[in-house]
């Protein structure tokens, strides 16, 4: 048993050491007293970073800067409530998606919140949407969405289920929140306002705090919202393609993995941000 857990622990440890060596600012945790965190670790994932600006080519407002700023504000708000906070990145560096999920999965009693902003080629596309994948993530998604979308003047695009990498590969309640469209002039102006970003962070934190206590009242309506969206488009596209070939589940999974490797030069998340945009029409 000991050998087994060592075998699992070592790759994670070496991964983390390598990661920490490459970026001394990342994966820092902080803790303070006097709040309601009660031992929960919140892994905050600022989308994109480094050469990956996020969004679409030619986009004026850089997504990676906005996500990092909101993530840092969220960290401060949660740390003040006695949550243990871990950042997958705390500076302008590129962190592979696999490293982000490995960091998250190395903590027990954790929840994962990925912060993004949306983009679309159509300037009119607007609104806030929140994604989850596993069932256990829905209360957290509903609570976060309730406070973020409820506190913003933007359109409410709802809680949606989709198999984004960071949602599928994290073994804890995991949510990805798209805090508005940076390609929409109005929402881009909001995002560039520090007090608005603070409000976004406080909305996410309010959702984190209330995910258990009032989750049932959100999920009564929000489950319905999520269920009314056709599930097929929100499941990983490569997985859907594989199952069409009527192979066994195991070989289908293998081919998914192979496909993932082939396309791994482009971060899945980057495509996700674009793919999730401008879909209402
Ligand atoms: Zn993004």
């Amino acid at each position: 048993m000991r050998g087994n857990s060592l075998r699992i622990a070592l790759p994670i440890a070496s991964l983390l050491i390598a990661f920490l060596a490459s970026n001394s600012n990342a994966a820092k945790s902080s803790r303070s007293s006097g709040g309601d965190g009660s031992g929960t670790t919140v892994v905050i994932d600022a989308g994109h970073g480094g050469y990956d600006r996020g969004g679409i080519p030619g986009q004026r407002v850089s997504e990676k800067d906005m996500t990092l700023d909101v993530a840092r504000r969220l960290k401060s708000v949660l740390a003040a409530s006695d949550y243990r906070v871990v950042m997958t990145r705390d500076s302008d560096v590129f962190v592979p998606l696999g490293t982000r999920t490995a960091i998250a999965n190395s903590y027990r009693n954790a929840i994962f919140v990925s912060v993004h902003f949306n983009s679309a080629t159509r300037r009119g596309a607007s609104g806030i949407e929140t994604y989850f994948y596993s069932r256990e993530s829905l209360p957290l998604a509903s609570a976060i969405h309730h406070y973020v979308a409820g506190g913003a003047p933007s359109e409410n695009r709802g809680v949606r289920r989709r198999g984004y990498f960071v949602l599928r590969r994290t073994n804890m309640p995991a949510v990805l929140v798209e805090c508005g469209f940076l390609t929409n002039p109005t929402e881009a102006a909001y995002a560039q306002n520090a007090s608005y970003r603070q409000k976004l962070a406080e909305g996410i934190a309010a959702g984190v705090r209330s995910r258990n206590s009032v989750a049932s009242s959100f999920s009564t309506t929000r489950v319905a919202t999520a269920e009314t969206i056709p599930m097929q488009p929100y499941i990983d596209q490569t997985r859907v393609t594989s199952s069409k070939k009527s192979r066994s589940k195991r070989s289908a999974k293998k081919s998914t993995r192979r496909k993932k490797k082939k396309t791994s030069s482009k971060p899945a998340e980057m495509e996700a941000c674009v793919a999730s945009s401008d879909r209402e029409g």
Side-chain angles (χ1 to χ4, degrees):
M1 276 297 131
R2 212 172 166 191
N4 269 347
S5 56
L6 255 181
R7 225 172 293 154
I8 296 162
L10 275 175
I12 293 171
S14 53
L15 211 157
L16 281 175
I17 288 163
F19 174 68
L20 286 169
S22 70
N23 171 30
S24 59
N25 284 327
K28 256 188 203 165
S29 69
S30 62
R31 195 196 283 268
S32 72
S33 57
D36 48 10
S38 57
T40 304
T41 299
V42 183
V43 180
I44 303 172
D45 178 49
H48 313 280
Y51 69 82
D52 174 14
R53 292 178 80 241
I56 57 174
Q59 186 172 313
R60 196 174 60 81
V61 183
S62 174
E63 183 186 351
K64 65 174 184 173
D65 298 331
M66 296 294 134
T67 62
L68 181 59
D69 184 84
V70 172
R72 282 174 172 163
R73 290 170 187 275
L74 177 58
K75 176 187 175 180
S76 300
V77 176
L78 289 174
S81 301
D82 202 25
Y83 283 90
R84 182 184 195 194
V85 183
V86 174
M87 304 278 281
T88 58
R89 72 177 178 98
D90 198 6
S91 61
D92 185 17
V93 289
F94 175 75
V95 180
L97 297 180
T99 307
R100 294 172 193 251
T101 56
I103 290 168
N105 290 336
S106 68
Y107 292 92
R108 287 179 193 277
N109 190 26
I111 59 177
F112 180 88
V113 180
S114 190
V115 179
H116 285 257
F117 283 82
N118 236 326
S119 53
T121 48
R122 191 174 67 81
R123 279 160 59 94
S126 68
I128 289 168
E129 55 195 16
T130 305
Y131 288 94
F132 73 102
Y133 184 67
S134 70
R135 274 287 149 202
E136 62 160 359
S137 302
L138 181 56
L140 177 63
S142 301
I144 288 177
H145 190 75
H146 175 85
Y147 286 105
V148 176
S154 303
E155 184 194 337
N156 181 344
R157 293 168 68 97
V159 176
R160 303 175 178 204
R161 181 169 189 251
R162 190 178 289 175
Y164 289 152
F165 186 96
V166 293
L167 301 181
R168 276 189 293 113
R169 301 295 180 90
T170 37
N171 53 24
M172 65 203 69
V175 163
L176 187 152
V177 55
E178 296 273 10
C179 301
F181 283 72
L182 295 175
T183 44
N184 179 290
T186 307
E187 293 192 347
Y190 292 152
Q192 289 176 95
N193 182 303
S195 61
Y196 184 78
R197 294 195 301 273
Q198 182 66 23
K199 202 176 174 195
L200 288 172
E202 283 167 9
I204 297 170
V208 167
R209 279 195 291 266
S210 61
R211 70 195 184 283
N212 295 323
S213 51
V214 281
S216 55
S217 61
F218 297 139
S219 51
T220 318
T221 48
R222 296 300 176 185
V223 170
T225 309
E227 298 285 32
T228 52
I229 296 164
M231 293 305 261
Q232 203 75 336
Y234 298 96
I235 298 168
D236 193 329
Q237 289 303 313
T238 51
R239 191 165 289 188
V240 173
T241 314
S242 300
S243 64
K244 270 182 191 164
K245 290 174 185 170
S246 68
R247 287 187 201 135
S248 76
K249 265 189 178 173
R250 188 168 282 245
S251 65
K253 259 189 180 174
K254 270 185 188 166
S255 93
T256 304
R257 234 175 274 145
R258 271 200 300 274
K259 275 183 185 171
K260 277 258 138 47
K261 271 191 177 168
K262 269 184 203 164
T263 56
S264 66
S265 58
K266 189 177 183 185
E269 201 178 13
M270 219 168 135
E271 296 167 357
C273 275
V274 178
S276 66
S277 64
D278 204 16
R279 199 175 268 268
E280 78 267 54

